[in-house]
mmCIF file of all heavy atoms in Angstrom:
data_model
loop_
_atom_site.group_PDB
_atom_site.id
_atom_site.type_symbol
_atom_site.label_atom_id
_atom_site.label_comp_id
_atom_site.label_asym_id
_atom_site.label_seq_id
_atom_site.Cartn_x
_atom_site.Cartn_y
_atom_site.Cartn_z
ATOM 1 N N ASP Z 12 -56.437 182.728 106.762
ATOM 2 C CA ASP Z 12 -56.566 183.998 107.503
ATOM 3 C C ASP Z 12 -56.857 185.097 106.512
ATOM 4 O O ASP Z 12 -55.990 186.055 106.344
ATOM 5 C CB ASP Z 12 -55.248 184.306 108.342
ATOM 6 C CG ASP Z 12 -54.061 184.372 107.519
ATOM 7 O OD1 ASP Z 12 -54.064 183.825 106.327
ATOM 8 O OD2 ASP Z 12 -53.089 185.134 107.923
ATOM 9 N N ASP Z 16 -54.269 187.588 99.492
ATOM 10 C CA ASP Z 16 -53.872 186.476 98.704
ATOM 11 C C ASP Z 16 -54.597 185.154 99.066
ATOM 12 O O ASP Z 16 -54.828 184.199 98.215
ATOM 13 C CB ASP Z 16 -52.394 186.287 98.790
ATOM 14 C CG ASP Z 16 -51.883 185.972 100.150
ATOM 15 O OD1 ASP Z 16 -52.482 186.461 101.143
ATOM 16 O OD2 ASP Z 16 -50.825 185.320 100.325
ATOM 17 N N ASP Z 17 -55.013 185.094 100.389
ATOM 18 C CA ASP Z 17 -55.817 184.004 100.683
ATOM 19 C C ASP Z 17 -57.087 183.966 99.859
ATOM 20 O O ASP Z 17 -57.623 182.858 99.455
ATOM 21 C CB ASP Z 17 -56.308 184.049 102.287
ATOM 22 C CG ASP Z 17 -55.150 184.036 103.221
ATOM 23 O OD1 ASP Z 17 -54.436 185.033 103.204
ATOM 24 O OD2 ASP Z 17 -55.052 183.027 103.965
ATOM 25 N N ASN Z 41 -53.440 187.628 109.394
ATOM 26 C CA ASN Z 41 -53.389 188.730 108.618
ATOM 27 C C ASN Z 41 -54.324 189.891 109.361
ATOM 28 O O ASN Z 41 -54.108 191.079 109.200
ATOM 29 C CB ASN Z 41 -54.111 188.497 107.189
ATOM 30 C CG ASN Z 41 -53.042 187.902 106.318
ATOM 31 O OD1 ASN Z 41 -51.878 188.000 106.463
ATOM 32 N ND2 ASN Z 41 -53.545 186.931 105.518
ATOM 33 N N HIS Z 84 -52.692 194.076 104.189
ATOM 34 C CA HIS Z 84 -53.990 193.501 103.667
ATOM 35 C C HIS Z 84 -55.161 194.487 103.827
ATOM 36 O O HIS Z 84 -56.314 194.197 103.512
ATOM 37 C CB HIS Z 84 -54.383 192.241 104.388
ATOM 38 C CG HIS Z 84 -53.384 191.103 103.960
ATOM 39 N ND1 HIS Z 84 -53.690 190.337 102.896
ATOM 40 C CD2 HIS Z 84 -52.320 190.647 104.629
ATOM 41 C CE1 HIS Z 84 -52.670 189.388 102.825
ATOM 42 N NE2 HIS Z 84 -51.830 189.586 103.831
ATOM 43 N N LEU Z 125 -52.938 178.150 105.027
ATOM 44 C CA LEU Z 125 -52.539 179.430 104.460
ATOM 45 C C LEU Z 125 -52.298 180.463 105.357
ATOM 46 O O LEU Z 125 -52.049 181.702 105.143
ATOM 47 C CB LEU Z 125 -53.628 179.829 103.493
ATOM 48 C CG LEU Z 125 -54.043 178.840 102.295
ATOM 49 C CD1 LEU Z 125 -55.224 179.456 101.505
ATOM 50 C CD2 LEU Z 125 -52.855 178.516 101.501
ATOM 51 N N MET Z 151 -48.322 176.961 103.287
ATOM 52 C CA MET Z 151 -47.737 178.157 102.821
ATOM 53 C C MET Z 151 -46.958 178.719 104.086
ATOM 54 O O MET Z 151 -47.670 179.238 104.942
ATOM 55 C CB MET Z 151 -48.710 179.181 102.340
ATOM 56 C CG MET Z 151 -48.000 180.259 101.570
ATOM 57 S SD MET Z 151 -47.218 181.548 102.772
ATOM 58 C CE MET Z 151 -45.612 181.561 102.074
ATOM 59 N N ASN Z 160 -39.834 187.509 105.496
ATOM 60 C CA ASN Z 160 -40.470 188.701 104.985
ATOM 61 C C ASN Z 160 -40.999 189.510 106.188
ATOM 62 O O ASN Z 160 -41.695 190.570 106.050
ATOM 63 C CB ASN Z 160 -41.631 188.415 104.100
ATOM 64 C CG ASN Z 160 -42.609 187.480 104.548
ATOM 65 O OD1 ASN Z 160 -42.566 187.076 105.761
ATOM 66 N ND2 ASN Z 160 -43.623 187.147 103.816
ATOM 67 N N GLU Z 166 -40.706 184.075 108.017
ATOM 68 C CA GLU Z 166 -41.894 184.327 107.182
ATOM 69 C C GLU Z 166 -43.089 184.528 108.013
ATOM 70 O O GLU Z 166 -43.214 184.018 109.096
ATOM 71 C CB GLU Z 166 -41.975 183.097 106.168
ATOM 72 C CG GLU Z 166 -43.216 183.238 105.267
ATOM 73 C CD GLU Z 166 -44.521 182.744 105.916
ATOM 74 O OE1 GLU Z 166 -44.452 181.939 106.895
ATOM 75 O OE2 GLU Z 166 -45.517 183.372 105.634
ATOM 76 N N PHE Z 167 -44.079 185.340 107.615
ATOM 77 C CA PHE Z 167 -45.171 185.876 108.371
ATOM 78 C C PHE Z 167 -45.977 184.733 109.065
ATOM 79 O O PHE Z 167 -46.154 184.793 110.289
ATOM 80 C CB PHE Z 167 -46.056 186.619 107.423
ATOM 81 C CG PHE Z 167 -47.258 187.205 108.215
ATOM 82 C CD1 PHE Z 167 -47.153 188.486 108.745
ATOM 83 C CD2 PHE Z 167 -48.397 186.549 108.252
ATOM 84 C CE1 PHE Z 167 -48.395 189.078 109.453
ATOM 85 C CE2 PHE Z 167 -49.569 187.112 108.863
ATOM 86 C CZ PHE Z 167 -49.474 188.353 109.509
ATOM 87 N N ASN Z 168 -46.366 183.727 108.351
ATOM 88 C CA ASN Z 168 -47.275 182.697 109.043
ATOM 89 C C ASN Z 168 -46.458 181.943 110.083
ATOM 90 O O ASN Z 168 -46.989 181.703 111.187
ATOM 91 C CB ASN Z 168 -47.722 181.598 107.997
ATOM 92 C CG ASN Z 168 -48.705 182.224 107.072
ATOM 93 O OD1 ASN Z 168 -49.474 183.209 107.349
ATOM 94 N ND2 ASN Z 168 -48.892 181.705 105.864
ATOM 95 N N CYS Z 237 -48.265 184.047 97.306
ATOM 96 C CA CYS Z 237 -47.924 183.018 98.108
ATOM 97 C C CYS Z 237 -49.000 181.975 98.316
ATOM 98 O O CYS Z 237 -48.828 180.723 98.087
ATOM 99 C CB CYS Z 237 -47.568 183.511 99.564
ATOM 100 S SG CYS Z 237 -46.035 184.501 99.565
ATOM 101 N N ASP Z 238 -50.178 182.417 98.820
ATOM 102 C CA ASP Z 238 -51.294 181.435 99.093
ATOM 103 C C ASP Z 238 -51.751 180.828 97.776
ATOM 104 O O ASP Z 238 -51.989 179.616 97.771
ATOM 105 C CB ASP Z 238 -52.417 182.094 99.868
ATOM 106 C CG ASP Z 238 -52.020 182.470 101.265
ATOM 107 O OD1 ASP Z 238 -51.056 181.936 101.843
ATOM 108 O OD2 ASP Z 238 -52.642 183.281 101.829
HETATM 109 O O1 LIG W 1 -45.935 185.339 104.110
HETATM 110 C C1 LIG W 1 -47.089 185.182 103.347
HETATM 111 C C2 LIG W 1 -48.197 184.684 104.068
HETATM 112 O O2 LIG W 1 -48.527 185.595 105.136
HETATM 113 C C3 LIG W 1 -49.448 184.550 103.338
HETATM 114 O O3 LIG W 1 -50.281 183.471 103.793
HETATM 115 C C4 LIG W 1 -50.205 185.844 103.569
HETATM 116 O O4 LIG W 1 -51.690 185.608 103.421
HETATM 117 C C5 LIG W 1 -49.915 186.069 105.042
HETATM 118 O O5 LIG W 1 -50.769 185.273 105.796
#
Side-chain angles (χ1 to χ4, degrees):
D12 61 335
D16 61 328
D17 298 70
N41 285 329
H84 292 272
L125 305 178
M151 190 283 124
N160 58 3
E166 176 278 329
F167 181 87
N168 288 335
C237 290
D238 291 341

